[in-house]
């Protein structure tokens, strides 16, 4: 195979789709436990209605056609079959930018963002800020092969991403990432500092720990206390769960689409800081496209390697000082702490907040802020 780059199209066999619908129709739902809203987990009424819509209203073939509207490819890097999107802008002088998705997400995370970056003119932006966009599927996610052994690290993936950009002929480019991508994106700069123009992170840099409390200002301490009360800090500890027994839990997610839907809904709910219901923040079809992609590719377990393969756990992202860094959301993190490990050149205080996966929630705001950052470093 060598360095061959092969075109790729998603084409889920009809029997797989029929089986999903059959399993959804035969789901055994539990009784609703006492409690308000989501405090005991995903409410039975919400799950039953969403599962019904997944079976009867959601159109996978329509979603599949939309995803196939993005040029997709596969290639082998570091012994791994890698799936990626490569969407070139028609604007001259476009800056190549590599986007890295989070967990439990996929390249679907950027479905609303890509066009806003490649064709800013069509979205009210400056065409001079256009980007070519590359979106790899992290190993073990979607159509990228799962790691063949233990010991995988975000640094190894960062080296793969640098190799991919080199293979595509890009000498200078930007990188972006949030969630898991916030760990991987800085590693690309560490692997190829002479080629990376800047690292843009959606959030995670400068998050305080107990060790930082004694030196905090009053304002910082208040923000830290607010942070400790958030759902995404106190919900299901997926890091501990997937570090301990990912194989065990994957049986339920692999065998039952309702169990898989509940798990994904639990995490997307906990990652929702908007104060609004999940269905009002992230389009239901987009959410179900991500769930469907996990279901059809059977990647519930293989996508959990960052948790079980990282000694001592992931902790908060630290970043790097090889190239300039920009951050979309600074609160409740502290720039002062982030600057210990990063050269921060972009840290807006007024970007609209919302869901953790901001590219799915506020693609216009994210695209505008990314253009502002890369204009400083390109």
């Amino acid at each position: 195979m060598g360095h061959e780059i092969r075109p790729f199209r998603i084409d889920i066999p009809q029997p797989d789709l029929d089986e999903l619908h059959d399993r959804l129709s035969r789901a055994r739902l539990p009784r609703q436990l006492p409690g308000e809203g989501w405090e005991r987990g995903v409410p039975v009424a919400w799950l039953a209605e969403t599962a019904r819509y997944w079976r009867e209203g959601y159109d996978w073939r329509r979603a599949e056609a939309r995803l196939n509207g993005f040029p997709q490819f596969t290639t082998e890097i570091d012994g791994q079959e890698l799936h990626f999107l490569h969407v070139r802008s028609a604007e001259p002088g476009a800056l190549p930018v590599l986007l890295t998705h989070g967990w439990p997400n996929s390249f679907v995370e950027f479905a609303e963002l890509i066009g806003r970056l490649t064709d800013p003119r069509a979205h009210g932006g400056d065409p001079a800020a256009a980007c070519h966009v590359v979106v790899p599927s992290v190993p073990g996610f979607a159509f990228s092969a799962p790691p063949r052994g233990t010991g995988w690290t975000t640094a190894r993936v960062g080296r793969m991403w640098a190799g991919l950009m080199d293979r595509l002929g890009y000498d200078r480019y930007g990188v972006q990432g949030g969630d898991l991508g916030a760990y991987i994106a800085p590693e690309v700069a560490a692997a190829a500092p002479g080629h990376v123009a800047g690292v843009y992170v959606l959030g995670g840099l400068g998050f305080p720990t107990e060790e930082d409390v004694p030196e905090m200002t009053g304002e910082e301490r208040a923000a830290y206390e607010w942070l400790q009360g958030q759902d995404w800090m106190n919900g299901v500890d997926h890091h501990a769960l997937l570090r301990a027994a990912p194989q065990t839990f994957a049986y339920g997610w692999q065998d039952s689409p309702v169990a898989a839907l509940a798990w994904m809904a639990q995490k997307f709910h906990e990652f929702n800081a908007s104060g609004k219901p999940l269905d009002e923040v992230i389009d239901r079809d987009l959410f179900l496209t991500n769930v469907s992609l996990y279901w059809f590719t059977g990647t519930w377990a293989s996508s959990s390697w960052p948790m079980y393969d990282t000694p001592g756990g992931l902790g908060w992202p630290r970043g790097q000082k090889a190239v300039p860094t920009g951050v979309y959301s600074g609160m409740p993190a502290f720039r002062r702490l982030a600057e210990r490990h990063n050269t921060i050149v972009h840290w807006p205080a007024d970007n609209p907040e919302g869901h953790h996966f901001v590219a799915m929630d506020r693609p216009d705001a994210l695209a505008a802020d990314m253009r502002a950052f890369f204009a400083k470093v390109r």
Side-chain angles (χ1 to χ4, degrees), residues 172-207:
R172 182 172 172 80
Y173 52 88
V175 292
Q176 180 257 39
D179 191 79
L180 174 61
Y183 298 85
I184 295 173
E187 296 290 357
V188 185
H195 298 283
V196 176
V199 173
Y200 182 91
V201 176
L202 300 183
L205 299 183
F207 269 72

Side-chain angles (χ1 to χ4, degrees), residues 189-255:
H195 298 283
V196 176
V199 173
Y200 182 91
V201 176
L202 300 183
L205 299 183
F207 269 72
T209 65
E210 283 287 344
E211 297 174 357
D212 300 311
V213 172
E215 61 181 76
M216 286 182 186
T217 65
E219 182 180 358
E220 289 175 338
R221 192 179 295 264
Y224 178 71
E225 290 172 357
W226 175 87
L227 171 67
Q228 301 310 304
Q230 296 308 295
D231 277 353
W232 51 276
M233 288 288 290
N234 298 290
V236 177
D237 187 349
H238 58 272
H239 283 266
L241 185 154
L242 294 175
R243 188 165 58 247
Q247 191 73 63
T248 299
F249 296 106
Y251 292 109
W253 302 324
Q254 186 86 4
D255 190 58

Side-chain angles (χ1 to χ4, degrees), residues 136-361:
S137 292
V138 175
F141 291 72
F143 301 105
S144 283
R148 290 194 177 94
T150 58
W152 275 78
T153 64
T154 54
R156 185 169 179 176
V157 178
R159 293 191 295 270
M160 291 177 70
W161 281 191
L164 174 63
M165 296 303 274
D166 179 65
R167 186 167 300 177
L168 293 175
Y170 291 133
D171 183 63
R172 182 172 172 80
Y173 52 88
V175 292
Q176 180 257 39
D179 191 79
L180 174 61
Y183 298 85
I184 295 173
E187 296 290 357
V188 185
H195 298 283
V196 176
V199 173
Y200 182 91
V201 176
L202 300 183
L205 299 183
F207 269 72
T209 65
E210 283 287 344
E211 297 174 357
D212 300 311
V213 172
E215 61 181 76
M216 286 182 186
T217 65
E219 182 180 358
E220 289 175 338
R221 192 179 295 264
Y224 178 71
E225 290 172 357
W226 175 87
L227 171 67
Q228 301 310 304
Q230 296 308 295
D231 277 353
W232 51 276
M233 288 288 290
N234 298 290
V236 177
D237 187 349
H238 58 272
H239 283 266
L241 185 154
L242 294 175
R243 188 165 58 247
Q247 191 73 63
T248 299
F249 296 106
Y251 292 109
W253 302 324
Q254 186 86 4
D255 190 58
S256 166
V258 165
L261 175 63
W263 173 239
M264 192 71 81
Q266 177 74 36
K267 298 315 302 181
F268 269 67
H269 170 75
E270 290 173 356
F271 288 171
N272 179 15
S274 70
K276 301 176 184 177
L278 178 60
D279 290 345
E280 294 181 19
V281 180
I282 291 180
D283 178 75
R284 180 164 63 168
D285 279 12
L286 194 61
F287 168 73
L288 286 173
T289 297
N290 186 58
V291 181
S292 298
L293 197 62
Y294 272 76
W295 175 262
F296 289 132
T297 59
T299 46
W300 305 98
S302 62
S303 62
S304 63
W305 67 261
M307 285 62 130
Y308 68 76
D309 244 359
T310 304
L314 283 171
W316 293 120
R318 286 170 59 91
Q320 49 74 45
K321 284 204 168 190
V323 304
T325 293
V327 179
Y328 174 84
S329 179
M331 285 297 290
F334 309 138
R335 179 169 181 166
R336 175 178 62 81
L337 300 181
E339 286 178 333
R340 293 183 297 193
H341 309 292
N342 300 270
T343 304
I344 305 290
V345 300
H346 183 82
W347 186 286
D350 56 354
N351 276 334
E353 297 183 8
H355 200 277
H356 178 64
F357 294 127
V358 67
M360 302 174 85
D361 175 19

Side-chain angles (χ1 to χ4, degrees), residues 29-33 36-48 50 236 258-270 278 287:
L29 298 179
R31 296 183 179 90
Q32 177 62 54
L33 298 177
E36 297 295 322
W38 291 63
E39 67 182 44
R40 295 286 181 270
V42 182
V44 174
W46 186 95
L47 191 90
T50 306
V236 177
V258 165
L261 175 63
W263 173 239
M264 192 71 81
Q266 177 74 36
K267 298 315 302 181
F268 269 67
H269 170 75
E270 290 173 356
L278 178 60
F287 168 73

